[in-house]
Amino acid sequence: MIHGEVRTTCPYCGVGCGVLARVEPDGRVEVRGDPEHPANHGQLCSKGAALAETLDLAPRLLYPEVRGARVAWDTALDTVASSICAALDRHGPESVAFYVSGQLLTEDYYVANKLMKGFLGSANIDTNSRLCMASAVVGHKRAFGADTVPGCYEDIERAQLVVLVGSNAAWCHPVLFQRLVKAKSDHPELRVITIDPRRTASADIADVHLALRPGTDVALFNGLLVWLYDRDEIHSLFVDEHTEGLEDALAAARAGAGDVEEVAARCGLGAAQLLQFYELFARNERVVTLFSQGVNQSSSGSDKVNAIINCHLLTGRIGRPGMGPFSLTGQPNAMGGREVGGLANQLAAHFDLDYPSHRALVQQFWKAPTIATRPGPKAVDLFRAVEDSRIKVLWIMATNPAVSLPDAGRVRHALAKCELVIVSDCVRHTDTTRYAHVLLPALAWGEKEGTVTNSERCISRQRVFLPSPGEARADWWMLAEVAKRLGFAAAFDYPNAGAIFREHVALSGLKNGGTRDFDLSGFVGISDGDYDVLAPVQWPVTKDHPKGTARLFGNGSFFTPNGRARFVPVTPRAPVHVIDAEYPLTLNTGRVRDHWHTLTRTGFSPRLAAHTIEPCVEISAHDAAELGLVECQLARIASRWGSAVARVRVTDFARRGSVFVPMHWNDEFTNAGCIDAVVNPATDPLSGEPEFKHTPVSVAPLATAWYGFLLSRRRLTPGNATYWAVARGPGLWRYEIAGHELPQDWASAARAVLCAQEAEVEWIEYFDKAAHRYRAARLAGGKLESCIFIGPDPVLPPRDWLVSLFGLDALDTLTRAGLLSGIPGNGNADAGRQICACFGVGEGSIRAAVAGGCVSVEAIGQCLKAGTNCGTCVPEIRTLLPV
Ligand code: SF4
């Protein structure tokens, strides 16, 4: 156990916040934001602040397993190595693949890429980061000649105009969004524009929200390019001296653009509103365009990125303070993966797989027997290669593709057919580990060490503050052990993560001399001691710039062969699959505020789970009425690829014709909510990034005979429920349930679910047979042990007061009297759905405060503290205030 506060980095999003973690003498872990970290200056969002609640060892994979049996590490590693060896011998290097993750540390990523591309001999390694930012990589490389994010977070604070395109930063990059909120508060003249078919929480501070028609971003930015050019709003000197290709890009843009009215009509916007955006863009010199998955996750994602960059090149707004196109990465180390070549079409250290001279240099540096000569399959295609048995051995590291890839049912089918699936993970039960023949226990956050790189190219250390549990090991160690068994001991003889970082650094500086953007040569020969205390720093780090580099391209020099940035001609394209009579709505998927990926971490925090306890489908009032859907009802969302069930949430924030469903839920937390089973597998032809934001779907009421919920201190199997979703509560599990058929005998059915056979329990029951309402509570030793509420419709008592009763040692008479009504006997209101995760404040409490005269966010903060810590819930608080 490490004593004292340890400086580390949050393992969730690409903001890359610094965290100080301390293990208290009683074993509890305390975390707080690191005031010295340049990304967050001490702030954390709700997810970061709840990190200590996610360290439970119960769900962990702690020992190696082969075909369901616990084995020694040697046995597991021998199995992996011999299987890879046999596949290589029989079927060649294309028969083995790695599918890795932006959750890996850079050192893990480096070793995985080196083993695959230099020693196994193919580029069959791709990453789940493909799913979030591969289009940005293509856009950067086409325009800049390298995968370079030109600016830094500080630019957002120094801008006059910040444009958020396809980015709900308020929920997905919360601390960065709070920096923008503060900048706007400090400088009210700062303008913010959000461009997104949905009105998200990020629009809370927007001066203009453009709810464009899904998929029309290229038309919108092409229109801007033409509009700027025609009004001579260009930086002629920059364009003449530092760019090429403007004429072609303009010709392409003009071909599909037209005047403002035509562009507006194409994008589904009002002309005046569009003109307002164009004029703001023209008027303000310092413009930052933040873009994220709403741009990248598209079959034309690469073109959308270049359409944005074209406008910045035309105006010369790049490489200087307060301006530039800015890609926000989703995962904590998506950028680190890009540095080491974690994508199937990259080589390490921003060397190019397509250049024979680069391949030769890397092979020589690694002293490798071979080097991949052509790109491997990108994520979706990689699983197609598994499905048709071209890939025989698949090693999945730190990710859950059975849930997170589009057309997830087909991915599961591929995994079920694969000869050998190896999964290294820190979680025992995921939808993917179910298909594993070999399970390798990995160290988790707080136990492993290495580096990560955030969206602004800032490298930060993750450090150890917890002991390694069970037999869990670092991912790089597993890879190196397998490499040694394959006969490559000399090249993989790493004593620690620092040694890998040293090699990574040395490779980045190899024959670089400023020809490649990724350069850490300033760290060449870094000692273990200096690696241990490495402070956050933005690459490139060279002898001339030992403290790193905040911005690139300020000198107008790019990484293309002639040093000029390239305008890229782009033409609007319709999504691959378009709506029709059978599937008339567009499905958009993404994150909710307090959850992360497939719930393998945040799903175990009661505080985080309380905000959104089950999958929901957000739909406009107009569409809901047309489809006969009402609030809180269950609905089936279906596409040509699959179907899922979610709770209806009718909202003004949904665009007519579009629905939104969160991406997080999986078979561990619901029996029917995996939305990626519905998502179409179309990809961008250049980046291979899937079209998560545009799947034609139908939405229809789910036929149910009853609805209910179930609260229990034990995890249960919800018997005859045809739909269930479970969430962690404080000391209990919260189930939402529904069924197609009414049981003959409700009491027996309920007691079967809640375990009636134990002797020392007391039952309180209520049954209105005519109304089909059944309610029961099970008390053990005077404590509430479980309760179940059933009714003919989704209108059921609020849950939060009932949840709070699980914290009591005994129920008094008044409480018992109110128990089966679900209403506090003391006249207090139910706190309602959690809004503020930091202080546990519910919607009911906020509504009561509003009724009592608190009519501003500040007044709510003073009364309830809600919204006064991380600020992530402020947009939701505002929706509860009188207009
Ligand atoms: Fe972690 Fe991202 Fe929140 Fe920062 S903003 S605390 S990195 S989840």
Side-chain angles (χ1 to χ4, degrees), residues 465-803:
F465 58 89
L466 291 168
S468 304
E471 294 181 4
R473 297 283 185 274
D475 290 273
W476 66 259
W477 179 87
M478 300 172 207
L479 285 153
E481 287 300 310
V482 168
K484 289 174 190 169
R485 283 163 172 78
L486 291 169
F488 310 128
F492 290 88
D493 191 19
Y494 300 112
N496 52 32
I500 303 167
F501 186 75
R502 268 192 296 282
E503 185 176 311
H504 170 52
V505 158
L507 181 58
S508 77
L510 183 69
K511 297 220 184 316
N512 193 328
T515 56
R516 297 188 309 279
D517 61 341
F518 183 70
D519 188 345
L520 297 180
S521 55
F523 288 131
V524 163
I526 185 172
S527 67
D528 285 347
D530 286 345
Y531 176 71
D532 282 345
V533 296
L534 185 72
V537 62
Q538 284 175 273
W539 62 257
V541 182
T542 61
K543 296 234 158 24
D544 292 338
H545 298 281
K547 294 195 177 344
T549 311
R551 297 176 189 86
L552 289 100
F553 309 141
N555 60 359
S557 178
F558 294 83
F559 294 98
T560 51
N562 63 7
R564 286 171 175 265
R566 291 183 286 236
F567 285 93
V568 177
V570 289
T571 305
R573 286 200 310 271
V576 171
H577 301 284
V578 293
I579 57 170
D580 57 21
E582 194 177 357
Y583 300 107
L585 299 167
T586 299
L587 168 69
N588 174 10
T589 63
R591 294 184 193 161
V592 296
R593 193 189 75 188
D594 289 349
H595 274 314
W596 175 253
H597 280 196
T598 59
L599 305 180
T600 47
R601 184 185 290 275
T602 54
F604 292 94
S605 161
R607 183 152 51 130
L608 297 179
H611 180 255
T612 313
I613 63 165
E614 64 178 333
C616 58
V617 50
E618 291 183 6
I619 189 166
S620 72
H622 181 277
D623 290 332
E626 271 201 347
L627 296 167
L629 292 163
V630 293
E631 180 78 7
C632 289
Q633 186 177 20
L634 288 168
R636 182 175 296 284
I637 304 106
S639 72
R640 293 179 187 89
W641 298 273
S643 71
V645 173
R647 185 82 54 179
V648 172
R649 194 175 280 175
V650 180
T651 167
D652 295 342
F653 292 177
R655 194 181 198 280
R656 199 169 147 187
S658 295
V659 294
F660 173 83
V661 179
M663 56 174 268
H664 311 284
W665 274 267
N666 57 68
D667 289 0
E668 296 296 310
F669 289 89
T670 171
N671 65 340
C674 177
I675 197 63
D676 281 327
V678 180
V679 171
N680 80 88
T683 57
D684 180 287
L686 299 173
S687 71
E689 185 153 352
E691 192 145 58
F692 285 104
K693 303 294 187 190
H694 199 290
T695 299
V697 293
S698 62
V699 181
L702 184 77
T704 47
W706 57 269
Y707 282 84
F709 67 87
L710 166 57
L711 308 175
S712 167
R713 291 185 192 274
R714 295 159 294 130
R715 198 156 179 175
L716 302 170
T717 305
N720 51 4
T722 48
Y723 165 82
W724 61 263
V726 63
R728 198 75 207 244
L732 75 155
W733 295 92
R734 304 174 57 161
Y735 292 85
E736 295 294 324
I737 50 181
H740 290 319
E741 285 179 26
L742 287 168
Q744 293 294 322
D745 176 358
W746 259 117
S748 301
R751 285 180 177 229
V753 173
L754 301 185
C755 299
Q757 59 272 45
E758 291 165 32
E760 301 290 309
V761 295
E762 178 190 351
W763 282 86
I764 307 174
E765 283 179 301
Y766 160 85
F767 189 25
D768 180 341
K769 199 167 183 180
H772 299 299
R773 291 194 192 280
Y774 176 81
R775 297 174 180 187
R778 181 177 186 267
L779 286 76
K783 283 184 173 182
L784 182 57
E785 202 278 336
S786 49
C787 61
I788 187 168
F789 285 64
I790 302 292
D793 54 46
V795 183
L796 292 158
R799 287 56 159 168
D800 292 83
W801 175 67
L802 291 166
V803 166

